[in-house]
Amino acid sequence: MLEQLSTQDASFIFMESKATPMHIGGLYIYHQPTHPDGSGAPISGEEAILRFFEERLHLWSFSRQRLVRVPMDLDYPYWVEDSEFDLGYHIRRIALPQPGDWKTLMQVAARIFERPLDLSRPLWEVYAIEGVTIPGLVENGFAMLSKTHHAAVDGASGMHLIAKIHDLVPHGANVPRPERAWRPDPMPTDVELLMRTGVRNTLQPFRFAQTLARTARQLELPRAQLGGSTRRALETRVVPKTRFNGEVTSNRVIGGYEIDLAALKPIRATVDGATVNDAVLGICGGALRRYLHAKHELPGDSLIAMAPVNIRKEGDIGSGNQVSALFVPIGTEIGDPLERLAAIHASTSASKAVNNAVGARLLTDYQQFVPAVTAAQAGRLAATMAQLPNPPFNVSITNVPGPQAPLYSLGAELATSLGLGPITHGMGLIMPVTSYCGRIMLGFVSCRSILPDPEFFRDCLVASFEEYLAAAGSLESAA
């Protein structure tokens, strides 16, 4: 049965290029696997890995689905169950060059992640990477790198996908059986797709009228709810242009720094009402300030972060994209870390007020009425973002909460994970923030021409975190 992509899902297809592949993913690092009897063993053989994934394919709605585009992009693409699906193509197994340390793993992972997915096949791949030894973390372990197109999942649904390839016990997990046998779909012809387009366009005015009626009800919220000062601050916000807002190449760099979740509690406690997310934004803002200052490129106005917001209803774990966004100044113009945190907290509170007053889900509802041809043209013009004198934002900082209980895959315990996301022309840095078992990983993905020294950027993250710890400690001692 054909399933049509939403406007938001299709936009990631239209934005795809060699320099800007639109997939998201993660790098998962595991301890050495064990047999059920507890003895150590290398990673499972290739047949065992394929069998492990094969018995879970039915848990992902898009696992065997490939993309079918309407001629001339006159309508949004469709998903179709691929009659030529080959699991062996999607599961890869490689060995990490020695010494197999963090730096080597980041370099290899970047080379894998920068390569676009094949749009003629189901849009996901998993790489099993053997020979990982990171002092203080894992000894002779392995890693898995996942790539899934953003048209199929967003950060929240991606986390549910990852849960499907992990268990709460090392061995013996019972995978639920499929409700029915999988059947491929016949490939639709161009004529069939164009006929569907005609029917859809006929019904579009009625759908628009229904959405318009909902808008009238939701916009009855009083504008005074936002406060005059909040509205003025948001309307006069200036977005400086930085090195992160130029054109990107196809060469990626990735990295990350892990911290204890408990260490953020005294930091956020320094500002009344501040959240863990505010503290994370403060650390990221401090790192960006240090990095740009070292390059003699620190602007006088604060950098603006785009923070995706999950707008799914509670219990909705479907695939596809259901996100809105907040735009938050992250205090890069403020030297004092605690003053920066206070400014960030005020900004996030104001941004959430605006997002809630307008209705984030309602805004995404209107996207379905954008003609596919217009959306495709907009996607192809995305490179012009790099030429704007003032970009809409400077960096994307995503925060996707993860599980707090130990997870296992292929008989091995997950030690840590690193989120991976796409960059685009005009937005050459994304910082995925993930959490697992009381730890938070501050990750980053960029282009080598924009961030030629990822190790130094990681050092800036470390220094910013330590600066916050020292400031919080000094305030606590003074009290």
Side-chain angles (χ1 to χ4, degrees):
M1 180 177 179
L2 295 182
E3 177 186 354
Q4 191 167 36
L5 278 68
S6 70
T7 305
Q8 196 171 49
D9 294 344
S11 68
F12 294 108
I13 298 296
F14 297 145
M15 291 173 64
E16 179 95 4
S17 73
K18 180 181 178 182
T20 60
M22 288 288 106
H23 51 257
I24 64 176
L27 181 64
Y28 307 90
I29 304 173
Y30 301 87
H31 295 286
Q32 188 180 49
T34 59
H35 284 304
D37 62 8
S39 60
I43 187 172
S44 304
E46 189 164 337
E47 289 186 6
I49 296 174
L50 290 174
R51 188 166 57 251
F52 175 86
F53 280 92
E54 186 172 23
E55 66 181 6
R56 288 165 167 78
L57 285 177
H58 65 283
L59 302 176
W60 319 345
S61 62
F62 60 89
S63 63
R64 298 183 180 95
Q65 292 179 336
R66 59 156 293 187
L67 199 71
V68 178
R69 295 178 80 152
V70 177
M72 298 176 289
D73 287 327
L74 291 177
D75 203 353
Y76 296 116
Y78 290 85
W79 295 116
V80 58
E81 298 291 336
D82 186 11
S83 61
E84 299 180 357
F85 175 74
D86 177 12
L87 179 60
Y89 173 85
H90 297 272
I91 307 296
R92 319 285 178 86
R93 186 182 180 197
I94 65 173
L96 190 65
Q98 293 307 300
D101 56 7
W102 176 266
K103 183 177 180 179
T104 307
L105 180 60
M106 294 301 105
Q107 291 172 341
V108 170
R111 298 290 77 77
I112 295 172
F113 193 70
E114 69 190 20
R115 295 196 292 266
L117 293 165
D118 185 347
L119 295 183
S120 69
R121 295 175 178 268
L123 296 179
W124 64 275
E125 295 173 356
V126 172
Y127 290 75
I129 307 172
E130 301 178 37
V132 179
T133 295
I134 301 173
L137 184 63
V138 296
E139 180 71 27
N140 194 27
F142 71 99
M144 281 200 293
L145 190 151
S146 70
K147 296 166 58 175
T148 307
H149 205 284
H150 217 327
V153 295
D154 57 24
S157 58
M159 287 302 297
H160 291 291
L161 163 65
I162 294 306
K164 306 302 183 186
I165 62 171
H166 287 90
D167 303 313
L168 294 175
V169 294
H171 303 282
N174 294 318
V175 179
R177 298 180 64 84
E179 295 180 0
R180 60 181 178 83
W182 176 76
R183 293 185 180 89
D185 290 326
M187 188 61 62
T189 65
D190 288 351
V191 172
E192 291 173 322
L193 293 172
L194 290 172
M195 289 179 62
R196 285 174 173 267
T197 298
V199 173
R200 185 173 183 272
N201 289 343
T202 300
L203 297 175
Q204 202 76 306
F206 300 100
R207 297 192 185 104
F208 182 79
Q210 293 173 341
T211 302
L212 195 63
R214 292 201 306 274
T215 302
R217 292 192 297 270
Q218 291 200 24
L219 293 186
E220 292 174 357
L221 291 169
R223 282 176 59 83
Q225 173 180 336
L226 302 181
S229 60
T230 297
R231 289 199 304 272
R232 286 192 297 274
L234 294 173
E235 291 168 357
T236 59
R237 179 177 294 165
V238 175
V239 183
K241 187 163 186 176
T242 71
R243 64 167 50 221
F244 305 119
N245 305 114
E247 291 192 17
V248 302
T249 70
S250 58
N251 302 313
R252 296 290 176 267
V253 293
I254 68 175
Y257 174 57
E258 192 177 56
I259 60 178
D260 277 321
L261 178 61
L264 293 182
K265 293 182 179 179
I267 293 174
R268 69 180 180 89
T270 61
V271 174
D272 187 33
T275 65
V276 167
N277 191 57
D278 293 333
V280 167
L281 291 174
I283 295 169
C284 293
L288 287 163
R289 174 183 170 86
R290 284 177 175 272
Y291 186 84
L292 292 176
H293 185 270
K295 304 292 183 181
H296 308 288
E297 299 172 3
L298 182 64
D301 295 303
S302 174
L303 270 63
I304 305 298
M306 187 274 284
V309 177
N310 179 22
I311 59 172
R312 280 180 167 77
K313 295 179 181 178
E314 187 174 355
D316 181 2
I317 58 174
S319 58
N321 290 266
Q322 296 186 44
V323 293
S324 183
L326 300 179
F327 297 89
V328 183
I330 51 176
T332 52
E333 84 285 18
I334 302 173
D336 183 271
L338 300 186
E339 288 182 16
R340 183 186 312 122
L341 178 58
I344 288 172
H345 175 59
S347 295
T348 57
S349 299
S351 296
K352 288 172 184 175
V354 173
N355 197 268
N356 291 334
V358 175
R361 179 174 291 276
L362 187 64
L363 291 177
T364 59
D365 285 346
Y366 273 99
Q367 293 178 355
Q368 66 181 302
F369 304 112
V370 178
V373 173
T374 303
Q377 291 173 340
R380 297 182 188 111
L381 290 173
T384 60
M385 286 274 290
Q387 278 76 53
L388 295 176
N390 293 106
F393 58 92
N394 301 108
V395 56
S396 177
I397 302 178
T398 70
N399 191 347
V400 181
Q404 297 305 305
L407 296 180
Y408 301 85
S409 191
L410 292 166
E413 182 180 357
L414 178 65
T416 190
S417 65
L418 176 69
L420 303 173
I423 58 176
T424 63
H425 299 298
M427 191 208 76
L429 175 64
I430 184 170
M431 302 183 70
V433 179
T434 56
S435 59
Y436 169 65
C437 278
R439 307 280 292 175
I440 288 183
M441 177 67 80
L442 308 178
F444 59 88
V445 179
S446 188
C447 162
R448 184 166 292 281
S449 64
I450 288 175
L451 197 75
D453 42 8
E455 292 83 10
F456 175 60
F457 188 77
R458 183 181 184 276
D459 291 342
C460 291
L461 279 170
V462 175
S464 180
F465 171 63
E466 292 177 345
E467 182 182 45
Y468 267 101
L469 281 182
S474 297
L475 193 64
E476 187 176 7
S477 298

